[in-house]
Amino acid sequence: MMQRVRVQVERIRAYAGDATFEVFGDLGTGVVDFDRPLTPRPVRLWPEAERRAGHVLDGHLVVRHLDAINPDGHVEGEHLGAEHLYPAAVVAYETPGYVFGRFQHAVRMVDGAGNVSPSAFAIVTVNSAPTVPLGVTRSGYDAVTDQVSFAFVPSRFDPVAGK
């Protein structure tokens, strides 16, 4: 049975509406491959937010400059400006299915201008059994070596696609 790893990234207000992240992995090799992300495309932290056009190009008075009312109704100001007043939310990505081993993942954040933040790493050990092979039959027996041969339908597991 394959096991997926759920990677969760917390949405905080330090990330603008155009912030994205990608998940990279080592597929059990011990070296994270930063050339091929596991995510099919960058994952937006705020998918419901309009993409920013820049300070001068956005609706200047529409974008918050000073104190304002947040969407959840809390007042923001010097006294109440802490992160704890914002709704908690995470954005999750599930990796391909893994069978057995130690898997390392890295999350790389990118802002709308293409600035990349340092990667955060996590290592997960998956301890599960592979799926039962299909069509197992005895295909032969060698009396000299006393060995039995078996035939089966090979798995078409793709570690990147997870199937």
Side-chain angles (χ1 to χ4, degrees):
M1 177 172 176
M2 292 187 290
Q3 178 181 330
R4 294 179 179 272
V5 175
R6 186 174 174 91
V7 178
Q8 295 181 318
V9 177
E10 187 175 294
R11 296 192 328 180
I12 59 175
R13 69 178 180 170
Y15 301 123
D18 53 6
T20 62
F21 71 89
E22 289 183 298
V23 177
F24 299 86
D26 68 351
L27 299 178
T29 64
V31 178
V32 174
D33 182 0
F34 284 102
D35 293 328
R36 290 179 203 83
L38 298 177
T39 46
R41 62 191 153 289
V43 179
R44 291 188 65 196
L45 281 177
W46 303 94
E48 67 278 3
E50 291 287 330
R51 293 194 184 268
R52 299 292 305 273
H55 185 71
V56 178
L57 300 176
D58 280 331
H60 192 69
L61 296 177
V62 177
V63 178
R64 181 179 347 182
H65 281 94
L66 303 173
D67 293 346
I69 304 294
N70 292 318
D72 65 349
H74 286 103
V75 177
E76 180 186 21
E78 287 186 24
H79 180 67
L80 299 174
E83 293 286 336
H84 73 277
L85 293 178
Y86 281 76
V90 295
V91 178
Y93 169 76
E94 285 196 357
T95 67
Y98 300 126
V99 176
F100 181 83
R102 188 175 158 116
F103 299 91
Q104 185 173 348
H105 297 95
V107 175
R108 183 181 283 171
M109 305 292 296
V110 181
D111 69 12
N115 299 310
V116 178
S117 69
S119 300
F121 291 87
I123 297 175
V124 176
T125 300
V126 174
N127 188 11
S128 62
T131 56
V132 177
L134 300 174
V136 177
T137 58
R138 189 178 86 176
S139 61
Y141 172 72
D142 184 342
V144 175
T145 61
D146 195 29
Q147 290 185 345
V148 177
S149 301
F150 293 95
F152 58 93
V153 177
S155 170
R156 296 181 187 266
F157 177 71
D158 178 357
V160 175
K163 49 185 171 175

